[in-house]
């Protein structure tokens, strides 16, 4: 169903929409923020659509699909997919709203529905950068940011949706001021030091957000937990390397070197802790195993490999 419908709706999608679309990525959306900030848009509307996937009304969604699709067999199958329900805690639920998260066609259906906002959005309301249910609007002034937020809330209300109050705010980007999180990165306006006679430059820097760092630590902790004590250390290192390569491949952009280094040091500490528990020895013994092993750190990916991972 996704293969059939995606080319039909892709022809209508706007250029500044990036979520779950072919040949577009989160990094494309992040680059738009950098470009707009460089142009002088320093007021940011940060928001999240409340319960986006679970709150989309089925009938309104089908109306949006019927604007481009008239094949009754396809429409009948789509209705059956929406009515199929989901299993939660052993019980099947069949809600009258929403597209089940995890369903292969759900991201496309979400994009089709939210396209109704994208197609009427005007650049005079601000430079909107949506990624599925996460939205950032870059504006020239506070008044424009307030208008953008009101306009966004109005358009979402027409779709039966609303911004999530707890995640909605207006931020003024300034050196030494607040930043905002978007797509796993924390963004903040900084000024370069002007080393070697170069002029100081103000720019939007980004690095892994605190929540992303916590998620990485939890991933490393799970891979090196006590329940894997019977596995060979080399197997644990292979799992760690796969996780670190994937995490670094996404977060290596921007100004992430310090935080990438922190995650690798944490992986070293957890690996030493794993060896300590496996041999029922002291923590010093665990570190000694890592220091004396060949390859170093039992083959754990090095910092230079993390920097250049693709």
């Amino acid at each position: 169903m996704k293969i059939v419908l995606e080319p039909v709706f892709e022809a209508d999608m706007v250029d500044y929409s990036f979520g779950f679309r072919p040949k577009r990525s989160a990094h494309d959306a992040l680059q738009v923020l950098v470009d707009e900030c460089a142009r002088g848009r320093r007021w940011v509307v940060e928001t999240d659509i409340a319960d986006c996937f679970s709150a989309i009304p089925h009938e309104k969604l089908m109306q949006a699909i019927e604007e481009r699709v008239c094949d009754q067999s396809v429409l009948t199958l789509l209705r059956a997919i929406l009515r199929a329900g989901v299993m939660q805690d052993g019980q099947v639920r069949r809600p009258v709203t929403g597209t089940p998260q995890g369903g292969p066609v759900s991201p496309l259906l979400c994009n089709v529905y939210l396209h109704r906002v994208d197609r009427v959005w005007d650049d005079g309301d601000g430079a909107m950068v949506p990624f599925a249910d996460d939205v950032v609007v870059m504006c020239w002034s506070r008044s424009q940011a307030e208008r953008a937020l009101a306009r966004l809330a109005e358009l979402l209300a027409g779709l039966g949706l609303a911004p999530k109050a707890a995640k909605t705010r207006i931020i003024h980007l300034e050196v030494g001021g607040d930043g905002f999180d978007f797509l796993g990165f924390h963004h903040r306006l900084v000024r370069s030091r002007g080393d070697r006679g170069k002029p100081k430059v103000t720019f939007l820097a980004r690095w892994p957000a605190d929540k992303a760092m916590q998620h990485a630590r939890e991933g490393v902790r799970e891979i090196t937990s006590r329940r894997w004590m019977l596995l060979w250390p080399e197997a644990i290192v292979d799992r760690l390397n796969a996780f670190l390569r994937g995490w670094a491949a996404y977060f290596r952009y921007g100004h992430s070197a310090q935080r990438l280094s922190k995650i690798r040091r944490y992986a070293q500490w957890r690996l030493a802790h794993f060896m300590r528990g496996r041999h029922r020895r002291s923590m010093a013994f665990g570190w000694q195993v890592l220091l004396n092993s060949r390859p170093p750190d039992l083959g754990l990916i090095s910092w230079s490999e993390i920097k250049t991972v693709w």
Side-chain angles (χ1 to χ4, degrees), residues 9 61-69 75 78 109 112:
F9 290 101
L61 173 59
M62 290 307 301
Q63 289 172 12
I65 293 170
E66 287 169 1
E67 291 179 4
R68 296 283 277 136
V69 178
L75 296 174
L78 270 176
L109 297 180
V112 170

Side-chain angles (χ1 to χ4, degrees), residues 190-210:
V190 300
R191 182 176 288 118
S192 63
R193 293 178 296 184
D195 293 341
R196 299 178 183 177
K198 295 180 180 179
K200 293 185 178 181
V201 179
T202 301
F203 60 97
L204 187 67
R206 67 176 184 264
W207 52 80
D210 291 343

Side-chain angles (χ1 to χ4, degrees), residues 113-121 128 152 155-156 159:
Y113 194 59
L114 294 180
H115 176 64
R116 291 188 157 189
V117 174
D118 299 340
R119 69 187 182 186
V120 298
W121 188 266
M128 183 165 69
L152 184 60
L155 293 173
L156 290 175
L159 300 180

Side-chain angles (χ1 to χ4, degrees), residues 1 8 14-15 24 32 39 56 67 77 87 119 137 145 160 162 164 199 214 219 223 231 240 273 290:
M1 184 63 71
V8 175
V14 296
D15 290 337
R24 288 168 178 260
V32 173
R39 291 189 182 102
I56 296 175
E67 291 179 4
L77 181 54
M87 181 171 286
R119 69 187 182 186
V137 185
K164 187 179 293 184
Q214 182 60 32
I223 292 170
L231 294 180
L240 268 177
H273 189 271
L290 262 64

Side-chain angles (χ1 to χ4, degrees), residues 131-165:
F131 196 95
D133 56 345
D134 289 329
V135 182
V136 164
V137 185
M138 307 288 286
C139 301
W140 297 106
S141 63
R142 182 176 188 88
S143 60
Q144 186 186 40
E146 291 171 348
R147 290 196 307 272
L149 181 56
R151 174 69 170 155
L152 184 60
E154 176 189 357
L155 293 173
L156 290 175
L159 300 180
L161 303 173
K164 187 179 293 184

